[in-house]
Structures are given as C-alpha cells and as structure tokens.
Amino acid sequence: MRTTVVLTLTSFAAAMVVGTVVAAFRVSPVPPLRAAGAVWVQMLRNTPLTVLLLLFVFGFTKIGLQYSFEVSSVIVFGAYTSAFVAETVRSGINAVARGQAEAARAVGLTFPQILGIVVLPQAFRTVVAPLGNIFIALTKNTSIAAIISVLELTEVADRLNNATARPIPVFLGAAVAYLVLTLPSGFAFGWLERKVAIRR
Amino acid sequence: MTAPVLADALGPRARRRVALASVLAGAVLVLLVVAVVLRLQDTGQLDASRWRPLAEPSTARFLLGGLVNTLKVALIAMGLAILVGGLMALGRLARNGPVRWLSGVYVEFFRAVPLLLLILFSALALPKYGLRLPAFGYLILALVAYNSAVLGEIFRAGILSLERGQTEAALAIGLGYWQSMLFVIIPQAVRRMVPAIVSQLVTLLKDTSLGFVIGLSLQDRELLRRARDLGEFYRNPLQSLVVVAVIYIVINFALSRLARWLEVRQRRRYSAGAISVAGVEDLAVVTAEAGGRMGGS
C-alpha cells in the first residue's frame, strides 16, 4: 500500500509539471511548440497504459534506457497522466476570460509572463475537480505496475491469493484498500476546490 | 489548428520574436528527433532484420487476428456495459429505496476499484466458485462490471441534465413514469450522451489490453499479447510494441475525432433550436417539442 501511495504521488507530481508545460506549449504562439504539444498529448492519450509500460520496460532498454521497475513505472505513469493533465489545464486556460489575457498584453507583459502570472493561476482554480478525477484514476492505474511485478497493492493481493488460495477475502481487502485511498483524496480535492473557488 | 487564444493579432516586434522562437524551437525538436534516430541506429534497432518480420503477410495476419479479438472483446463488453449501465442509472433514479441503494453501492464500488484487480479476481477467483466461462469471458465480465458503473454515472448525469419541464410535461399529458422515461427522457438523454459514450469506448478499447495478464489460448489472444508473442519470437520487442502502439493510436484517435465531431454537430443543432427526435413515435416528438418549449421559456 505504501508503494501504491508513493507511485501515485511521485507520478502525479511529475505529470502536473510536464502536463502544465505541455499545456503552455499547446496555447503558445510558437507553431513548432504547439505541434510538439499536440503530438505528445495524442500519442500518449491514445495508447493503452499497458502498451506504454511494456514498451518502456522491454523496448526502450534496447536503446540503453534501463531503470529499475519502480522508476520505469513512475516515468510511464507520469508521462501518460501528463497528457490528461495537459488537456485539462488547457481547457482551464481556455476558460479564463479573454479580457484577462488582453489586459495583460495591454500593460506590456510577454507571453510567458501573461501565462505564468495572469492566466495559469486562474486556470488552475477552475480545473481542481477534473485534476482530482485524474488523481483518482492514477491511483487506480498504478495497479498496472503489477504486470512488471512492482510490489504494489494489486501485485501483493495477487501473490497473497497465490499463497493462501482465498481469493475473496484477499481481493476484497485490496478493493477496500483502494477505497481507503481514493475516497479521502476525493474529499481533499473537494475541499481544495471550495477553498480556491473564485467568489463572484 | 485554431489560432492561439492568448496572443491574437501580434504586433511587428512580437511577430519577429515568435518567428525567432519558432526557428529555435523547431531546431531543438529536429535535433531531438535526429538524436533519437541516431540512438536507434547505434543500438541496431533500425536494422531491417528487426522490422521485416513485422511486414510479412503471416505476421500481419497474426496481428490482425489479435486486433479482431481486441475489437470483439471491446464491442461485446461495450454492448453489455451500456445495458447494465442503463439499468444502474435507472436504478439510482428509482423511487424504490432499496433499488436505489443497491445500484448506488454497485456503481460506487466498481468505479473505485482498479480494473486490473477486477480482471484478476474474475479470472482467478470465479472459476474456483464454479463459474466456467471461455477464457476471454472473464475479461469481458470484469470490463462490463467496471464500465457499466462508469457508464451508469454518465447516463445518470445525462438524464439529470434534462430540464425538469420535460418530465413534468410528459406526466402532465398523462404518460406514466416508464412511458415518460422511455419516450421522452431517454431518447433525449442518449443524444446528449453520445460523445461521452464514444470516449468511454476509447477507454474500454485501451483497457482490453489488460487482458494479456490472464492466460488466453493462442487464438483468443488480443493485440497486445500477440505483440509480446511476436517480440519474443523474433527478438524485437521494441519494434513489435511500436507497431501495436501505432495501431492503437490510429484507432483511438479516429474514435476521439468521431466523438468531437458528434459533439460539435450536436451543439450546432441544439443552438439552431431544432429538436428532432429520430426513430421515436410521433407522440414522443410532439411531447418532446412541447416540453422543450416549456423548459426553454
């Protein structure tokens, strides 16, 4: 269970950073960056996470990218989730009133300044709830690390089941453990959403 | 690509800056691609011997068979999940307390549990308790359990998104609960939910790849499992997995585009104000239009 938590938190942190950068690329005035952002998002979003994980672990080792299974999982989960974060943040950016960016431009801010100081802080507020959904989905997705025998919740349950041959209590216990993880994070994001909501 | 939101109508200086940034960014990206290609070359991953087996007709047929299995599992699971999900949505909106409660528990539980755990449980535990299915039946069962919960919530949201006036109008002209659901509410809700349903299909299609964790017989193996088989056989895991990733991307990209197109078309039609419920009896059309007018005013 600790592994699941650690995997989730580190991957989510990575995904937030990369996803925000990619979202910035996608709305930037520089065409090559926009294209690169779009390719990143479409490629990662439309490939099954399982394929990505296996490709990274078994394929990329052939070109010298070899990491422990845990690190590989974080890289793959982070990259996959960043595509969804990018799309969410982008929708948040689009939801920020146009006048905000126009006003910022009128006082002479450059694009990175407009985005970083004016638009992004407002964008994040509006997308707290969808980001929470992404976080919960990621918590569940970390179970896929079980296929490369990272000892997280699902893998532990699978091994316990093999050892004890009592599938119902074992898998039910694992399911409850996931609930214990996802329900509080749902509440936490709900709280955060109310806290940062823009009062009108 | 649409125009960037944050920087419309640039001035001359900003245009020069953007041009410079474009050249720089383009150069960096090209260098990145070149670096990757060189790396592939250096490690011998671009050798024709590693790619050629994947282009042979027998391999293509093998992969195609995997794709057919993937699509088959996805479509069966999707059909069943829509059915069960629909029932769950009705259950959660039912007036009967226990029914509402039970379907609530079902939806909340299966939505919160990782699909992989469900698949493992279905494939490892159920046979022990005497449930015998063909191998991919367990996979479908798990997919249906998970996706019906998700779809149930989508359906419920769709039904709740309709104006109250719709139900009120239906009841006012003397339709019963089921009649108003069947002829008035559901047809409209379904049309609103089509984009969400298609994107859930994309998710489901990707999730079928988890099926490779359970021991499927050779002819039942889905796309990813077959790619692994090829990778082991020809010793080219990188190449086989890349090919399969491209297949998934093409299919899912097309499906996502379809969802987007449906959404845009729908929005356009709603804003035009024309409500035409296809394939429903005249009565429902009249009712829906009347309800729409009432709800709108």
Side-chain angles (χ1 to χ4, degrees), chain A residues 50-61, chain B residues 237-238 241-242 245:
Chain A
T50 332
V51 172
L52 290 176
L53 193 61
L54 292 179
L55 182 62
F56 191 86
V57 171
F58 296 106
F60 285 9
T61 49
Chain B
L238 180 74
L241 285 167
V242 165

Side-chain angles (χ1 to χ4, degrees), chain B residues 3-65:
Chain B
V5 193
L6 300 179
D8 51 339
L10 294 169
R13 227 174 50 173
R15 255 207 302 275
R16 268 202 304 281
R17 230 176 7 225
V18 165
L20 185 67
S22 297
V23 171
L24 276 179
V28 169
L29 289 171
V30 168
L31 279 179
L32 213 66
V33 171
V34 169
V36 169
V37 170
L38 281 181
R39 183 85 211 186
L40 286 168
Q41 186 109 57
D42 285 351
T43 44
Q45 297 297 323
L46 281 184
D47 289 0
S49 65
R50 289 183 187 270
W51 290 95
R52 194 165 304 127
L54 293 170
E56 271 164 26
S58 62
T59 326
R61 255 202 311 280
F62 185 67
L63 278 180
L64 200 66

Side-chain angles (χ1 to χ4, degrees), chain B residues 134-149:
Chain B
F136 66 90
Y138 297 111
L139 176 60
I140 289 180
L141 200 63
L143 284 169
V144 169
Y146 179 75
N147 286 286
S148 63

Side-chain angles (χ1 to χ4, degrees), chain A residues 45-46 50 63 80 140 143, chain B residues 39 111 116 146 206 252:
Chain A
R45 206 170 56 153
N46 288 316
T50 332
I63 55 169
Y80 178 79
K140 294 190 289 168
S143 66
Chain B
R39 183 85 211 186
R111 223 159 51 116
L116 184 60
Y146 179 75
K206 290 197 295 179
N252 287 326

Side-chain angles (χ1 to χ4, degrees), chain A residues 109-183:
Chain A
L109 298 186
T110 61
F111 176 76
Q113 284 174 324
I114 297 176
L115 200 59
I117 305 174
V118 179
V119 175
L120 269 182
Q122 301 183 62
F124 274 119
R125 290 175 160 208
T126 61
V127 293
V128 170
L131 286 178
N133 291 340
I134 291 177
F135 182 82
I136 290 172
L138 174 64
T139 310
K140 294 190 289 168
N141 277 339
T142 56
S143 66
I144 292 175
I147 61 176
I148 52 169
S149 356
V150 172
L151 270 177
E152 46 64 68
L153 253 170
T154 302
E155 177 71 8
V156 171
D158 191 25
R159 292 195 185 179
L160 269 182
N161 172 51
N162 286 340
T164 61
R166 284 225 211 93
I168 288 198
V170 168
F171 285 116
L172 205 61
V176 170
Y178 276 106
L179 277 172
V180 166
L181 291 178
T182 53
L183 286 180

Side-chain angles (χ1 to χ4, degrees), chain B residues 10-295:
Chain B
L10 294 169
R13 227 174 50 173
R15 255 207 302 275
R16 268 202 304 281
R17 230 176 7 225
V18 165
L20 185 67
S22 297
V23 171
L24 276 179
V28 169
L29 289 171
V30 168
L31 279 179
L32 213 66
V33 171
V34 169
V36 169
V37 170
L38 281 181
R39 183 85 211 186
L40 286 168
Q41 186 109 57
D42 285 351
T43 44
Q45 297 297 323
L46 281 184
D47 289 0
S49 65
R50 289 183 187 270
W51 290 95
R52 194 165 304 127
L54 293 170
E56 271 164 26
S58 62
T59 326
R61 255 202 311 280
F62 185 67
L63 278 180
L64 200 66
L67 180 61
V68 169
N69 283 336
T70 290
L71 292 177
K72 201 165 68 184
V73 167
L75 287 180
I76 295 176
M78 194 64 188
L80 290 173
I82 286 178
L83 211 65
V84 179
L87 288 178
M88 286 303 143
L90 286 181
R92 290 202 79 175
L93 294 168
R95 284 171 295 188
N96 182 328
V99 170
R100 207 165 54 220
W101 193 79
L102 276 179
S103 32
V105 169
Y106 175 93
V107 167
E108 293 302 338
F109 180 78
F110 284 113
R111 223 159 51 116
V113 174
L115 181 57
L116 184 60
L117 200 69
L118 289 176
I119 293 175
L120 286 176
F121 179 80
S122 157
L124 298 176
L126 293 182
K128 273 214 174 117
Y129 297 97
L131 186 72
R132 298 237 156 261
L133 292 174
F136 66 90
Y138 297 111
L139 176 60
I140 289 180
L141 200 63
L143 284 169
V144 169
Y146 179 75
N147 286 286
S148 63
V150 176
L151 284 172
E153 283 302 273
I154 294 178
F155 292 160
R156 191 168 71 110
I159 291 174
L160 289 178
S161 80
L162 289 179
E163 298 83 2
R164 271 186 80 85
Q166 296 287 330
T167 321
E168 285 166 1
L171 295 178
I173 60 162
L175 295 179
Y177 176 76
W178 287 109
Q179 282 174 319
S180 61
M181 269 289 170
L182 208 61
F183 297 129
V184 181
I185 306 299
I186 293 180
Q188 298 186 68
V190 164
R191 291 175 60 241
R192 288 196 188 181
M193 292 176 307
V194 165
I197 295 173
V198 176
S199 35
Q200 188 58 28
L201 180 62
V202 172
T203 311
L204 194 148
L205 199 71
K206 290 197 295 179
D207 285 344
T208 56
S209 64
L210 284 173
F212 99 107
V213 297
I214 58 182
L216 293 169
S217 64
L218 194 61
Q219 86 252 17
D220 281 344
R221 287 184 179 172
E222 43 72 55
L223 194 53
L224 175 59
R225 184 58 209 259
R226 290 200 166 184
R228 294 282 294 135
D229 292 343
L230 285 180
E232 272 159 29
F233 188 72
Y234 293 115
R235 305 190 158 281
N236 60 350
L238 180 74
Q239 289 75 6
S240 334
L241 285 167
V242 165
V243 167
V244 166
V246 169
I247 296 177
Y248 276 113
I249 291 174
V250 168
I251 294 176
N252 287 326
F253 185 72
L255 277 175
S256 307
R257 268 293 146 92
L258 176 69
R260 265 275 286 288
W261 179 75
L262 285 169
E263 203 181 326
V264 169
R265 195 186 66 146
Q266 201 166 36
R267 202 171 295 153
R268 204 181 302 137
R269 195 184 288 176
Y270 269 106
S271 64
I275 298 178
S276 58
V277 181
V280 186
E281 273 111 321
D282 289 346
L283 174 67
V285 174
V286 173
T287 326
E289 280 181 348
R293 239 173 270 140
M294 268 182 222

Side-chain angles (χ1 to χ4, degrees), chain A residues 1-81:
Chain A
M1 184 148 165
R2 258 197 61 202
T3 317
T4 294
V5 174
V6 172
L7 275 181
T8 307
L9 290 181
T10 44
S11 315
F12 191 68
M16 283 300 292
V17 175
V18 178
T20 308
V21 172
V22 173
F25 277 13
R26 291 205 70 181
V27 296
S28 90
V30 184
L33 290 183
R34 279 212 299 281
V39 169
W40 175 265
V41 168
Q42 296 299 355
M43 260 175 37
L44 289 168
R45 206 170 56 153
N46 288 316
T47 322
L49 187 49
T50 332
V51 172
L52 290 176
L53 193 61
L54 292 179
L55 182 62
F56 191 86
V57 171
F58 296 106
F60 285 9
T61 49
K62 302 277 175 199
I63 55 169
L65 286 172
Q66 195 154 20
Y67 301 100
S68 75
F69 285 162
E70 284 79 4
V71 176
S72 309
S73 317
V74 170
I75 293 174
V76 172
F77 293 151
Y80 178 79
T81 310

